[in-house]
Amino acid sequence: MSQAEKVPGLPMRGRQARPNPTPKAGRNLPAAVVVGLAMLLAVLGGLLFLPLAFVAVTTAFGVFGVWEIFRALEANGTRMPIVPVMTGTVAMPFVAYLGGVEALLFAMLVSSVAVLVWRSIEGAAGSVNSIFAGVFTLGWVPFFISFAALPLHVAGGATPLGLWPDGVVPPGAWQVAVMLLLVVSNDTFGYLVGASLGKHPMAPKISPKKSWEGFAGSVAGAVLVGVLACLFILDKPWWVGVIMAVGAVAAATIGDLAESMVKRELGVKDMSSILPGHGGVMDRLDSIVFASPVVFVLYGLFAGA
């Protein structure tokens, strides 16, 4: 891809611009919808019927995301200590599922110390950037995404084979399902409104295609989904759905902008091209990793009120 394609505002030379079916949104809608629905069905299927499989899928997404970050950093001269970082990435979701919040915090601490020790053994050259990159990545991806597994532990846990006792899906699993639906609603309604009505960029220097109109669409759509989910799925007051929806949209938007800022700093358009219509795994996880802890905390604070 040419530099002109990567950086908005640069003229395209040497070839004619090909028509783009979604010029404002910046991605292929049919491919994005198909891939997004396939991922959502796989995740929800595991969550509602085989929770251990859900944790495994969550871990796999985290592994791919960390690998994309590692490759992007390495291309820019920063070599992250991948062995301790990847070990922590694999461990944290399962630790959260089996041990809860305290165990997850301990796993994050141990993983960070492992990064420090590993990098100290390798030598001093470039160690500060390497250690910072490793701890930052541990917090950004596996630690945050593990909050999607915490409600499953709070729900009482599953049987040794990873099945829900008596085949009854507990409230914690529905809580995670609603969080995922809120993130999907944020992306879907924001995309539709932003692509058709978006005129005022939120952060033009970071993500030119993200507009305030799209943000308003995300909030409206997520609030509708949140209210309906609380009334018919979670059996909670409607206003809990409003709080969860607004929190999820705010967190998802911040996560999206944060990843866009990292990509601009690294000089890449997408973290990879593994997911057609979406880019890399991190281009899909950017919203979920921020929304997971926010919805977990908000639900814990207000659902029992």
Side-chain angles (χ1 to χ4, degrees):
M1 178 173 292
S2 68
Q3 192 67 18
E5 291 175 290
K6 291 183 179 180
V7 182
L10 291 182
M12 299 183 67
R13 300 184 179 90
R15 66 179 181 86
Q16 294 182 343
R18 288 176 293 185
N20 186 346
T22 56
K24 291 185 179 180
R27 53 175 156 148
N28 185 323
L29 179 58
V33 170
V34 171
V35 173
L37 286 177
M39 291 191 297
L40 180 63
L41 291 175
V43 169
L44 289 179
L47 177 64
L48 300 179
F49 300 104
L50 193 63
L52 198 58
F54 168 78
V55 178
V57 171
T58 301
T59 303
F61 281 136
V63 167
F64 277 109
V66 168
W67 182 253
E68 289 174 351
I69 296 171
F70 169 74
R71 291 182 60 191
L73 289 172
E74 190 175 41
N76 281 265
T78 300
R79 185 166 183 82
M80 183 171 65
I82 189 62
V83 173
V85 172
M86 197 61 81
T87 301
T89 300
V90 172
M92 282 191 211
F94 288 98
V95 168
Y97 172 66
L98 296 172
V101 175
E102 294 83 0
L104 175 60
L105 293 173
F106 182 73
M108 176 63 190
L109 175 63
V110 171
S111 299
S112 300
V113 172
V115 167
L116 177 62
V117 173
W118 185 281
R119 193 57 186 83
S120 299
I121 294 175
E122 288 186 340
S127 60
V128 174
N129 288 341
S130 181
I131 291 171
F132 176 79
V135 175
F136 173 79
T137 302
L138 282 170
W140 183 18
V141 184
F143 179 70
F144 276 1
I145 203 175
S146 294
F147 278 82
L150 279 176
L152 307 186
H153 173 79
V154 175
T159 64
L161 292 179
L163 302 172
W164 291 124
D166 302 323
V168 178
V169 180
W174 290 115
Q175 174 190 337
V176 179
V178 170
M179 182 274 293
L180 294 173
L181 289 176
L182 290 175
V183 173
V184 172
S185 300
N186 167 76
D187 289 346
T188 302
F189 288 99
Y191 176 90
L192 294 175
V193 176
S196 57
L197 302 176
K199 294 181 180 179
H200 301 88
M202 292 185 68
K205 294 184 178 180
I206 299 175
S207 182
K209 291 184 174 65
K210 185 170 289 294
S211 65
W212 285 107
E213 291 84 359
F215 179 75
S218 293
V219 173
V223 165
L224 175 62
V225 172
V227 169
L228 293 176
C230 277
L231 293 177
F232 298 106
I233 298 178
L234 298 178
D235 193 24
K236 299 295 180 182
W238 65 268
W239 55 266
V240 175
V242 175
I243 293 174
M244 289 174 60
V246 173
V249 171
T253 301
I254 293 172
D256 190 8
L257 291 175
E259 200 224 3
S260 295
M261 183 172 61
V262 170
K263 290 192 295 186
R264 281 189 168 269
E265 182 67 22
L266 297 176
V268 298
K269 183 179 183 296
D270 293 319
M271 283 297 187
S272 75
S273 57
I274 191 173
L275 299 176
H278 294 267
V281 172
M282 277 307 301
D283 298 305
R284 290 298 85 211
L285 288 184
D286 55 0
S287 300
I288 294 176
V289 293
F290 274 65
S292 295
V294 169
V295 172
F296 176 81
V297 172
L298 291 177
Y299 188 84
L301 288 175
F302 296 104

